[in-house]
Amino acid sequence: MRRVSVIGAGTIGASWAAYFLARGFEVAGYDPAPNSEAFVRRFIDTAWPTLEKLNVVQAGADHKRFEFFKDPAAAVKGAEFVQESGPEREDLKVELFATLDAALPADIVIATSSSGLLVSRVSAKCKHPERCVIGHPFNPPHLIPLVEVVGGAKTSPDAIAKAMQFYRDIGKYPIHIKKEVKGHVANRLQVALWREAVHLVAEGVVSVADADAAIAYGPGLRWALMGPHLGGPIQGWMDDLGQTRLTPDVQKKIIDGVAEEAAGRNMADLQRWRDRKLIDILKVSGEP
């Protein structure tokens, strides 16, 4: 395989583009936003030194092997794998998938980075829904190994196998989710944990900053190595978990706590801080 198409070149798509380039592919990109080409090229240039430090860049890979298109059908011409990362709107993805499906040979896998939509619905207008899958990365895709692969009601086992093998071959850690559920698996696990964190803050048990620290400096470190199951659940604790709703008062507590924890840093500052921490961890662990 030599050519991959990235359809949707926002933060997720640009991150995918940088990673695919580092793995030695030619990459064709598409995004309808006015400044999208400049954004994705700037993202690739910024990410490249990090990918080099992490030894992700294969011999012969070149970050200049990126071509940008303003037409999605043109962007997938000659592609051997398609990674769609457009807005998280089902109506838009349905139309976009239909366009991609019509422009590609029937054996080319189309994967969506959707974080919560069902591929059965996204591929509803495709003539070849059997080749459509979820290929959900964790943000940022150029740094974090996980990819969730999910098939729809009409997805073929061959498409699942191709997607799993593709992500595995490029150094990702794909997992096969056997049934469609909203949010897939990793996001549902995140939301379950976050729900209890919100409950504890709402009940005055802990501050937002300390709830975050309880994960970041405790089980988060252990779960990064072994996941949650090897620790073993306790039924009594499970029965006592909260069911707090995001009422205006609860939302205000969380917002105020996040603002205090951010200490004047904006989202860009926090993302840079997050990425530096990730890079340090990945350099130690040898991932991705």
Side-chain angles (χ1 to χ4, degrees):
M1 191 177 295
R2 295 186 56 210
R3 188 175 179 88
V4 175
S5 289
V6 171
I7 304 301
T11 301
I12 301 299
S15 183
W16 268 126
Y19 189 82
F20 290 146
L21 288 164
R23 305 310 286 172
F25 295 103
E26 297 174 359
V27 177
Y30 158 78
D31 195 289
N35 300 317
S36 55
E37 180 175 5
F39 171 80
V40 67
R41 291 189 183 279
R42 185 168 59 250
F43 190 106
I44 291 166
D45 289 343
T46 301
W48 201 257
T50 297
L51 292 168
E52 289 180 320
K53 289 177 184 176
L54 294 173
N55 297 318
V56 173
V57 180
Q58 289 190 342
D62 186 350
H63 68 293
K64 300 297 184 185
R65 296 173 69 191
F66 176 76
E67 191 174 4
F68 190 84
F69 295 85
K70 282 293 185 180
D71 174 58
V76 297
K77 185 177 181 180
E80 295 165 88
F81 192 90
V82 176
Q83 186 76 41
E84 180 274 328
S85 303
E88 191 73 352
R89 281 181 49 186
E90 184 179 293
D91 58 336
L92 292 179
K93 287 189 186 292
V94 167
E95 298 302 326
L96 182 55
F97 259 60
T99 297
L100 301 176
D101 180 65
L104 284 160
D107 62 333
I108 302 301
V109 172
I110 307 174
T112 175
S113 298
S114 172
S115 58
L117 300 177
L118 305 182
V119 72
S120 289
R121 296 175 65 92
V122 169
S123 61
K125 290 188 178 181
C126 292
K127 291 183 178 179
H128 298 286
E130 69 276 4
R131 45 92 162 271
C132 299
V133 303
I134 297 288
H136 173 235
F138 238 55
N139 190 27
H142 70 287
L143 295 180
I144 299 185
L146 180 68
V147 181
E148 298 177 304
V149 177
V150 195
K154 297 181 179 179
T155 304
S156 71
D158 183 58
I160 293 290
K162 283 182 178 179
M164 291 287 290
Q165 192 62 52
F166 170 74
Y167 292 125
R168 196 176 292 117
D169 286 347
I170 64 173
K172 292 297 182 182
Y173 196 102
I175 62 172
H176 179 206
I177 299 172
K178 299 175 183 179
K179 293 183 179 180
E180 289 185 285
V181 289
K182 292 180 180 179
H184 318 316
V185 168
N187 278 332
R188 291 175 71 98
L189 293 172
Q190 281 194 134
V191 169
L193 177 58
W194 188 55
R195 182 179 65 184
E196 182 60 17
V198 168
H199 171 71
L200 293 171
V201 171
E203 292 296 307
V205 175
V206 71
S207 69
V208 168
D210 283 346
D212 287 347
I215 297 300
Y217 295 96
L221 295 172
R222 186 176 66 201
W223 289 344
L225 300 175
M226 56 192 288
H229 276 105
L230 293 180
I234 298 174
Q235 185 64 52
W237 296 356
M238 292 172 66
D239 294 341
D240 196 51
L241 295 177
Q243 295 289 333
T244 299
R245 307 293 296 178
L246 290 174
T247 64
D249 287 345
V250 171
Q251 291 180 39
K252 187 176 187 307
K253 282 186 178 181
I254 299 300
I255 291 169
D256 291 346
V258 169
E260 182 179 353
E261 186 179 8
R265 293 173 291 177
N266 61 29
M267 185 58 70
D269 292 335
L270 291 170
Q271 288 177 340
R272 283 192 289 269
W273 173 85
R274 175 204 66 186
D275 288 356
R276 286 196 298 270
K277 291 289 187 181
L278 279 173
I279 290 164
D280 288 343
I281 291 169
L282 293 170
K283 285 167 72 175
V284 170
S285 68
E287 297 287 355

